[in-house]
Amino acid sequence: SMSEAFGRHPQGFYAMMEMIRDWAKTLPLTGEDHTVGKASTAPNGGLRMGIIQFSGPIPEAVKTPVGVGSSGYLTGDLAELQGDIDWHEANYIQGSTFIATGLNW
């Protein structure tokens, strides 16, 4: 359960976010921030990623708000991605998660 203690973390959600944070540091990110939109021009390739939350009580996906991290868009910039992770850790929905509901958005 995401709301149960997990190792040194008070909740499994925080443990998962810290694993994503550590994993992101090893990825071959493009280095481009979220403003490039769909038109990546990274000469050496790489990837961009985004962080969203799905939860049963909230029917829509919860993304990072405008002005924080990547503003809810894909990013290849580690600093923006870290900002997204920080925001999601601080704004954990804390509801039961239903992947089926999330997939219908």
Side-chain angles (χ1 to χ4, degrees):
S1 171
M2 288 295 169
S3 60
E4 299 291 323
F6 188 88
R8 63 181 177 87
H9 301 281
Q11 297 172 327
F13 178 80
Y14 298 119
M16 180 185 66
M17 294 305 288
E18 287 305 307
M19 288 187 299
I20 291 171
R21 183 186 305 278
D22 289 343
W23 176 60
K25 293 175 185 175
T26 69
L27 295 174
L29 298 172
T30 64
E32 300 169 313
D33 67 20
H34 73 280
T35 61
V36 301
K38 297 177 185 175
S40 174
T41 59
N44 299 316
L47 60 92
R48 297 180 292 163
M49 64 185 289
I51 308 281
I52 58 174
Q53 291 184 64
F54 294 102
S55 182
I58 300 174
E60 67 276 350
V62 175
K63 61 183 185 173
T64 313
V66 173
V68 176
S70 70
S71 298
Y73 294 95
L74 293 175
T75 184
D77 181 79
L78 185 59
E80 284 188 346
L81 189 55
Q82 298 292 345
D84 291 344
I85 293 168
D86 290 344
W87 186 87
H88 282 284
E89 282 183 328
N91 295 279
Y92 172 39
I93 296 171
Q94 298 184 5
S96 55
T97 301
F98 301 105
I99 190 66
T101 301
L103 292 174
N104 289 324
W105 77 291

